[in-house]
Amino acid sequence: MAATALSGCTDCGGGGGTGGNDAGNPTADGGGNTDGGGNTDGGGGNTDGGGEPDGGGPTLGTLAITPTGPILAVTGSTGVTQQFKVTGTFSDGHTEDVTGQATFSIDDTRLGLFGGGSMFTSSTTVGGNSTVRARIGTISVSTPITVRLEQKVSDSSSGSAGLPSDPGSKFGGAADPDASHKPKIVYPNNGVMVPPNLGQLEIHFLPNNASTTLFELAFTNAITDVRVYLRCYMPSGVALPTGVTRGCIYTPEDKVWKFLAESNRGRLDQVKLTVRATDDSGSGLVAVSAPIALQFARAEIKGALYYWTTSGGTGVMRYDFAGTGTQTANAVLKASNISTSVGCVGCHALSRNGKKLVAEVNGQNDGRLGLVDLSTHDPSKAANVPLAQSGSKLSNFESWNPDATRFVGAYADSGATRYNLMLFNGDTSAYESEIANTGTKTNPANHPDWSLDGNTIAYMSMGIAGTNQRSYKGSIKMVTADTGGAWSAPVTVVPAQSGRNRYYPAIAPDSSFLVYNESDCLISSPPDAPLTTSTDSHTNCNSDTDPSARLWAAKLEANATRVELAKANQSGPLDSTPHLTNSYPKWSPFVTRGNNGDTSRLMWVTFSSSRNYGLRMPAASSSSENHMTTLLWMAAVDPDKLAQGLDPSYPAFALPFQDLNTSNHIAQWAQYLVSNGCSTDTEACGAGVGTCCNGLQCVQKNQDPPIPCDVSGACLCQPIPTCAPSFEKCSAAQPCCDGTSCVDDSTGGACSGSSCTCKPPCSGVNQTCGGTSACCDGLSCVPGSGTSNTCQIILK
């Protein structure tokens, strides 16, 4: 690989890059690879030649680096080293070793580092592809590099006690010809995508051969070959499903999870998981499972999740995805917190900033609300939440506007006098107004959801009136905000249909489409037995944990085309019915960068389901509505596929932190978990003021990019930026991404002042050059129309 110096502007001098990525994370959300920058193979930066030495001698013209495209296989706890050599070709045609004059760097420093010379030492925990660069003056050269993790791990769980000292050597026997002996992976489903900070993705499999005692889980792709050796065991207290005589559940320990998630986050190629089974003799037959594919999202999932549970007397639980260290779900609101004696608290809604919660008590036909200020609420104190508006009947289902000043509600149960959508004050819960023509006594409004941009409210319109909890033949409608606080006439997004019920709309965080529930009335109990008579008002399609409930999506437009989230709805290998109660969809409030290029997007939807969690069966329910309880599940969604009319979902996975012995649903999201007076976005922080909530940082006011702050009266909380793309401003509080470095605009070195910019190792076509920025191979730095020079293709 050679980089050729081209003629061009003479004032484009300076170093071609900064020798590494000081703060960036090429796999982080945001940013994007620019031409010639980031993780690209081939040319490094080039500008006008290397200068003419004293006495008019030959000038350095090109550089070549060896080896080219090295692949480093990492095993064990010691990094692999690779020595690089740079050869220069001069204007008189001679070549010489110029390694000692070169500055070396790697774009993705997670994969390893140069220790000040030409020797690269790999990481032992993160694999991947990147680019090594060498620079002398304004001439640079590059080569791709691959760090491949080839790690073997013996499971440390007590269930794997007594493993052989070298378990991998025991799999040398012949392939087992008996297909019935092949292990079978039963969780997760093939093709699942998970956030890299999930941490607790269980692997469930059936050994299918009583004589096998030793198992290998192999996670493989181009950069990963991680093999875990274990026994077959089940966690304490987990009963096998009916018909299963032997099952195995493995939870990756932290180091295994890091091997997999940090190496593969943001990659298009999936990780293949295969199970092999044999005995301890080393000569036994080896059975191999069919593989499944796993994928890791680029960005971590953030925010706080609040959900309703029936455990411990019912209540609202919460979990902080932005928290540090080991996180657990904790109760935030129970019946004992209400100052008036009530039987339960359940249906709830969270303001997007996480500061306010409104919850309905005692279920249908009640309509009383508790309004909670989460910044001061103490869940351990009894009777500290009064019923709003002196216990008046107000609403059963609610949703907040973006700034938490109002919420929209619906109430059609006993004693109802208003059947339209109703607007309530966000500080007092006082009724303010109705949204005209959204409901009547015959067709009341239900299940409102207010979009994140504040412009749309979607809702269910009951086709056959019942209660808010149980109603029939619904359609999905919406209203949009007009000037002066008015709302448009309702628009039907998905119409009513006989034999169906459509309900629980949830608008996606980009406010362009929604998901909703659809139930089929032509099923009975047990859910796979057909009805002899169909009716639109059957108990199995009344919008209350309907067995046939499935997730569908539709754009926010009149008579939108329906698209089923078929992959998210998909049953698992051990489910005996397709009727899985996939209900109560709710969105994480964030849109992150996807794995399919710089402009790709990814969202996350949560829902409840009665499907089997692999070998873990949901508990039986005494409810007349459904004979099984439900657990919380999550699925990734690619919104750009919906625009093409395609299923935008990925297979779902169970949220691991929930109580698995109860029923959990209505997984409402907030951007931040607010407690103990922590400050949220744009609120004051710093010395004498307070701390920011998880997911936020305290920075100086009116600084772009943000600068860390701890000065009373001068600081506010802002979301922690994932990274800044090339040529945008950067600082310690706003790091760079995609293989770029935060460069001081004054010195050209690592950022130390108040004016710094993310610079790629070399600049692409039409990007700025000169000073500390060199052009990539095949480009020259030429004067621009303004004050900046840009890299252009110079035709010879």
Side-chain angles (χ1 to χ4, degrees):
M1 291 195 172
T4 304
L6 302 178
S7 60
C9 59
T10 58
D11 58 346
C12 295
T18 59
N21 179 4
D22 297 325
N25 180 353
T27 59
D29 181 36
N33 290 343
T34 56
D35 291 341
N39 295 339
T40 54
D41 296 344
N46 257 338
T47 61
D48 191 26
E52 192 166 307
D54 294 341
T59 60
L60 179 61
T62 64
L63 298 176
I65 187 171
T66 54
T68 58
I71 299 174
L72 308 184
V74 180
T75 61
S77 58
T78 302
V80 176
T81 58
Q82 177 64 63
Q83 185 80 46
F84 286 90
K85 178 182 178 180
V86 176
T87 302
T89 300
F90 288 77
S91 56
D92 63 359
H94 87 275
T95 62
E96 64 181 73
D97 185 346
V98 291
T99 304
Q101 303 172 47
T103 300
F104 291 84
S105 65
I106 183 170
D107 288 358
D108 185 355
T109 55
R110 301 175 316 133
L111 304 189
L113 295 169
F114 285 91
S118 59
M119 180 70 78
F120 173 78
T121 303
S122 76
S123 165
T124 60
T125 59
V126 179
N129 306 109
S130 190
T131 302
V132 167
R133 303 181 188 273
R135 173 177 54 86
I136 298 176
T138 61
I139 305 174
S140 65
V141 67
S142 64
T143 184
I145 186 172
T146 297
V147 176
R148 177 176 166 85
L149 287 187
E150 298 183 356
Q151 299 284 13
K152 296 182 178 181
V153 179
S154 292
D155 180 31
S156 60
S157 169
S158 59
S160 288
L163 285 173
S165 58
D166 183 13
S169 66
K170 305 299 183 181
F171 288 82
D176 191 335
D178 189 341
S180 68
H181 288 174
K182 289 184 176 182
K184 182 177 182 178
I185 302 170
V186 296
Y187 178 84
N189 278 2
N190 182 38
V192 69
M193 177 179 280
V194 296
N197 59 328
L198 180 67
Q200 301 178 54
L201 182 70
E202 293 183 346
I203 308 298
H204 300 199
F205 63 95
L206 305 177
N208 287 338
N209 184 350
S211 65
T212 52
T213 57
L214 184 62
F215 301 88
E216 175 195 80
L217 304 184
F219 301 86
T220 59
N221 64 6
I223 64 163
T224 310
D225 187 356
V226 175
R227 296 173 186 261
V228 178
Y229 299 96
L230 69 158
R231 302 295 190 189
C232 178
Y233 60 90
M234 294 284 289
S236 176
V238 179
L240 289 171
T242 302
V244 175
T245 58
R246 189 181 179 207
C248 324
I249 294 180
Y250 166 72
T251 302
E253 56 187 289
D254 288 346
K255 70 176 180 180
V256 173
W257 183 261
K258 184 173 183 179
F259 289 158
L260 301 174
E262 289 305 312
S263 298
N264 291 285
R265 58 189 295 178
R267 292 182 63 90
L268 272 177
D269 57 327
Q270 298 171 315
V271 176
K272 182 175 73 173
L273 169 60
T274 306
V275 179
R276 295 201 297 169
T278 188
D279 58 30
D280 284 31
S281 70
S283 58
L285 297 176
V286 179
V288 184
S289 74
I292 68 165
L294 312 173
Q295 199 166 6
F296 296 86
R298 178 179 298 270
E300 294 183 350
I301 192 166
K302 300 295 185 182
L305 185 70
Y306 290 69
Y307 61 95
W308 186 70
T309 182
T310 60
S311 63
T314 78
V316 178
M317 307 289 289
R318 66 181 174 187
Y319 181 86
D320 189 6
F321 277 100
T324 57
T326 303
Q327 299 294 305
T328 58
N330 298 295
V332 66
L333 185 67
K334 306 194 80 170
S336 59
N337 294 123
I338 306 299
S339 58
T340 301
S341 178
V342 297
C344 67
V345 293
C347 299
H348 59 285
L350 267 293
S351 64
R352 300 308 200 278
N353 63 5
K355 296 180 74 71
K356 297 176 182 178
L357 180 150
V358 60
E360 193 260 350
V361 302
N362 285 357
Q364 60 184 343
N365 294 313
D366 194 299
R368 293 176 295 169
L369 299 178
L371 182 62
V372 183
D373 180 350
L374 292 170
S375 62
T376 59
H377 173 64
D378 184 351
S380 67
K381 292 185 178 180
N384 64 342
V385 177
L387 291 174
Q389 297 297 305
S390 302
S392 300
K393 292 189 175 187
L394 301 173
S395 173
N396 271 349
F397 290 95
E398 302 78 40
S399 181
W400 290 86
N401 69 351
D403 62 6
T405 57
R406 305 169 97 184
F407 62 86
V408 59
Y411 184 75
D413 293 7
S414 62
T417 58
R418 301 184 181 99
Y419 299 94
N420 285 313
L421 294 175
M422 298 174 286
L423 298 174
F424 297 89
N425 184 283
D427 294 322
T428 65
S429 295
Y431 165 81
E432 292 185 345
S433 62
E434 294 179 82
I435 300 179
N437 303 314
T438 53
T440 64
K441 186 174 184 179
T442 303
N443 304 113
N446 201 12
H447 303 161
D449 192 69
W450 207 323
S451 66
L452 199 60
D453 66 6
N455 294 328
T456 306
I457 297 175
Y459 64 100
M460 174 206 189
S461 176
M462 299 184 197
I464 300 175
T467 65
N468 291 101
Q469 185 172 334
R470 299 184 177 115
S471 53
Y472 312 91
K473 202 179 180 182
S475 60
I476 305 299
K477 297 186 177 183
M478 69 176 184
V479 291
T480 54
D482 285 339
T483 58
W487 292 87
S488 72
V491 172
T492 299
V493 179
V494 184
Q497 179 182 342
S498 294
R500 303 276 177 175
N501 195 11
R502 292 161 176 165
Y503 52 99
Y504 285 134
I507 301 176
D510 71 347
S511 302
S512 69
F513 70 101
L514 54 77
V515 295
Y516 69 95
N517 270 139
E518 184 168 312
S519 298
D520 181 352
C521 301
L522 299 176
I523 68 164
S524 184
S525 182
D528 50 357
L531 288 173
T532 55
T533 303
S534 174
T535 171
D536 286 331
S537 55
H538 190 270
T539 184
N540 279 342
C541 58
N542 66 3
S543 73
D544 187 26
T545 59
D546 297 350
S548 67
R550 295 176 74 82
L551 305 177
W552 290 74
K555 295 180 183 178
L556 286 174
E557 60 187 29
N559 298 311
T561 300
R562 300 157 51 245
V563 177
E564 185 184 359
L565 273 62
K567 293 185 182 69
N569 286 325
Q570 182 182 8
S571 58
L574 296 182
D575 287 307
S576 59
T577 172
H579 305 307
L580 305 177
T581 321
N582 298 325
S583 191
Y584 297 108
K586 296 294 177 183
W587 290 98
S588 161
F590 301 104
V591 181
T592 63
R593 179 179 165 190
N595 290 17
N596 192 22
D598 299 346
T599 61
S600 62
R601 299 181 299 157
L602 196 71
M603 304 174 184
W604 299 95
V605 66
T606 49
F607 58 96
S608 62
S609 179
S610 61
R611 68 183 70 185
N612 284 343
Y613 174 7
L615 290 163
R616 298 178 182 269
M617 291 185 62
S621 171
S622 59
S623 169
S624 60
E625 296 290 328
N626 196 313
H627 67 286
M628 301 301 291
T629 58
T630 60
L631 297 176
L632 298 178
W633 291 72
M634 178 182 286
V637 173
D638 179 349
D640 300 317
K641 286 185 178 179
L642 182 66
Q644 305 170 42
L646 303 175
D647 174 12
S649 68
Y650 288 78
F653 57 91
L655 291 176
F657 49 78
Q658 63 188 309
D659 184 347
L660 303 177
N661 298 309
T662 184
S663 192
N664 306 311
H665 48 178
I666 315 180
Q668 297 270 10
W669 285 83
Q671 292 171 315
Y672 312 106
L673 188 148
V674 179
S675 64
N676 299 321
C678 67
S679 299
T680 58
D681 194 10
T682 72
E683 293 183 337
C685 57
V689 179
T691 60
C692 298
C693 301
N694 289 335
L696 297 162
Q697 61 181 350
C698 193
V699 298
Q700 290 185 28
K701 295 178 181 178
N702 304 318
Q703 290 289 330
D704 186 19
I707 299 173
C709 181
D710 193 22
V711 181
S712 179
C715 314
L716 54 77
C717 295
Q718 287 186 0
I720 298 173
T722 310
C723 59
S726 298
F727 300 104
E728 289 194 6
K729 291 297 183 181
C730 55
S731 71
Q734 170 118 10
C736 300
C737 56
D738 289 299
T740 61
S741 298
C742 192
V743 177
D744 196 297
D745 294 336
S746 299
T747 67
C751 180
S752 60
S754 59
S755 180
C756 304
T757 303
C758 292
K759 297 288 184 68
C762 58
S763 297
V765 176
N766 295 323
Q767 293 178 344
T768 58
C769 56
T772 60
S773 296
C775 293
C776 296
D777 189 24
L779 303 176
S780 283
C781 188
V782 300
S785 57
T787 58
S788 299
N789 301 317
T790 60
C791 295
Q792 302 294 332
I793 299 173
I794 304 298
L795 300 177
K796 292 186 176 181

